[in-house]
Amino acid sequence: MKITEALLAEHQVFHSLFDHVERTAPRLKTLGEVKALGALLEASLKAHSDAEDDLLFAPMEHCIEQIGQSKPFHDEHEEIDRTLLGVQQARQLAAARKLIKSAVEASRKHFDKEERIVFPMAEKILSQATLLKLGDAWAKRRDSVNA
């Protein structure tokens, strides 16, 4: 499997998780419940983001930089991380709900940009052999996490 296919498949899973968060967070009754949901989202996004950064963004950094998107992509990752940290630091239920909603919205926008810009660029710039090799590295990374 190519790295682009693997990451896109993860995006599809995340969209389902985002849907769940958007449906569930407004109905949660306690701050602890929202924080638990935020922690799940944070841990899942971190693993995905680390894989993207290491396996796709790193070999394409010069290309992403050439189109002026390197800093915006990194800034978006940091914004999502800060917002999810804010969920954990929130002292009021309403604030935590607002922050988790904001993190989901920012993540959706970021994923959309990756799908429209980075993944097609990778398909054009990187060879099929490289895409497959990076996909194998992604699978090994996932296997070591699940071991």
Side-chain angles (χ1 to χ4, degrees):
M1 174 184 299
K2 297 186 291 186
I3 186 66
T4 48
E5 294 168 335
L7 294 174
L8 186 57
E10 282 191 348
H11 279 200
Q12 297 308 313
V13 172
F14 273 108
H15 284 297
S16 294
L17 179 57
F18 297 155
D19 291 344
H20 175 72
V21 170
E22 288 173 331
R23 276 190 318 270
T24 305
R27 296 190 317 240
L28 296 176
K29 303 291 184 206
T30 69
L31 180 58
E33 290 172 317
V34 177
K35 286 184 177 190
L37 190 59
L40 170 66
L41 188 56
E42 183 177 16
S44 301
L45 282 170
K46 171 122 178 67
H48 175 76
S49 175
D50 288 350
E52 275 185 344
D53 287 348
D54 296 345
L55 300 174
L56 189 61
F57 280 60
M60 293 185 47
E61 186 72 33
H62 64 287
C63 300
I64 296 168
E65 180 70 36
Q66 288 296 314
I67 62 169
Q69 290 299 312
S70 182
K71 183 167 175 15
F73 273 109
H74 290 291
D75 289 350
E76 289 167 7
H77 276 194
E78 289 175 12
E79 174 193 350
I80 294 164
D81 292 344
R82 272 192 314 273
T83 305
L84 289 168
L85 178 62
V87 172
Q88 298 308 310
Q89 295 172 340
R91 294 181 176 256
Q92 296 179 341
L93 178 59
R97 283 182 179 149
K98 183 177 179 182
L99 287 164
I100 202 167
K101 181 179 185 237
S102 178
V104 166
E105 290 169 355
S107 296
R108 284 191 192 274
K109 287 179 186 174
H110 182 73
F111 280 21
D112 178 64
K113 249 171 103 172
E114 289 175 346
E115 292 165 13
R116 285 184 301 105
I117 297 170
V118 178
F119 296 174
M121 181 187 299
E123 291 285 336
K124 288 180 185 173
I125 293 171
L126 302 175
S127 70
Q128 291 298 303
T130 299
L131 291 168
L132 290 167
K133 181 179 170 187
L134 292 170
D136 288 343
W138 172 87
K140 287 178 183 160
R141 180 183 284 228
R142 289 291 168 208
D143 288 345
S144 69
V145 169
N146 294 327

